[in-house]
């Protein structure tokens, strides 16, 4: 059972959050496999309802997506591999390489941090932007 996002569950998954973090990653990417546990540990320390990480797979097939997501990701949500929205999100956050972590203000949809990988994940700093 995965927490994949469907059109009907978007409000449930994202409602009330301050920031949405779109995480583009893939199982075949060594830097992704290094960064994912760092992001998961940070996410697990966050106050509930403050942030939501949405995994957007850059894997080459659905079985790789499912294995990587189920084994390596925290309790965050994911865009289903077969959902057309996955490619649309990858394009809208301009993914040209992975890992990529785009921080979006939940209320305005404005990109706060274009790529937060390797940067200090500081909600208070994002609030000031």
């Amino acid at each position: 059972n995965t927490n994949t996002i469907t059109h009907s569950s978007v409000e449930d998954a994202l409602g009330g959050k301050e920031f949405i973090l779109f995480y583009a990653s893939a199982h075949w990417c060594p830097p992704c496999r290094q960064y994912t546990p760092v992001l998961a540990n940070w996410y697990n320390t966050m106050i509930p309802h403050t942030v939501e990480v949405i995994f957007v797979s850059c894997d080459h097939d659905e079985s790789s997506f499912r294995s990587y997501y189920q084994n390596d990701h925290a309790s965050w949500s994911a865009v289903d591999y077969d959902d057309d929205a996955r490619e649309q999100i990858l394009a809208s956050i301009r993914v040209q390489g992975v890992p990529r972590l785009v921080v979006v203000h939940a209320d305005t949809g404005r990109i706060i941090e274009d790529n937060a990988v390797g940067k200090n994940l500081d909600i208070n700093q994002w609030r000031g932007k």
Side-chain angles (χ1 to χ4, degrees), residues 16 31 53 59 61 65 74 86 89 95-96 113 116 124:
V53 175
D59 283 305
D61 58 65
F65 153 71
R86 186 176 67 87
I89 291 168
V95 174
Q96 296 177 352
E113 189 70 60
N124 290 323

Side-chain angles (χ1 to χ4, degrees), residues 4 55 57 59 61-69 78-79 81:
T4 54
F55 173 52
S57 176
D59 283 305
D61 58 65
E62 185 171 5
S63 67
S64 297
F65 153 71
R66 292 223 175 269
S67 172
Y68 183 45
Y69 176 64
V79 178
Y81 188 83

Side-chain angles (χ1 to χ4, degrees), residues 3-102:
N3 295 326
T4 54
I5 295 213
T6 61
H7 296 291
S8 61
S9 67
V10 169
E11 183 62 34
D12 290 338
L14 306 182
K17 305 289 193 271
E18 276 187 79
F19 301 100
I20 310 302
L21 286 66
F22 290 98
Y23 181 49
S25 180
H27 85 285
W28 49 261
C29 165
C32 297
R33 294 184 74 86
Q34 280 186 309
Y35 187 71
T36 298
V38 173
L39 180 60
N41 288 338
W42 173 83
Y43 179 80
N44 289 332
T45 67
M46 298 312 308
I47 298 168
H49 308 296
T50 307
V51 300
E52 183 58 54
V53 175
I54 310 275
F55 173 52
V56 187
S57 176
C58 292
D59 283 305
H60 299 302
D61 58 65
E62 185 171 5
S63 67
S64 297
F65 153 71
R66 292 223 175 269
S67 172
Y68 183 45
Y69 176 64
Q70 291 172 347
N71 295 327
D72 297 310
H73 293 77
S75 57
W76 58 61
S77 299
V79 178
D80 196 62
Y81 188 83
D82 290 330
D83 193 324
D84 291 341
R86 186 176 67 87
E87 289 293 333
Q88 294 169 355
I89 291 168
L90 291 172
S92 69
I93 61 174
R94 301 181 304 280
V95 174
Q96 296 177 352
V98 290
R100 186 173 182 84
L101 183 66
V102 177

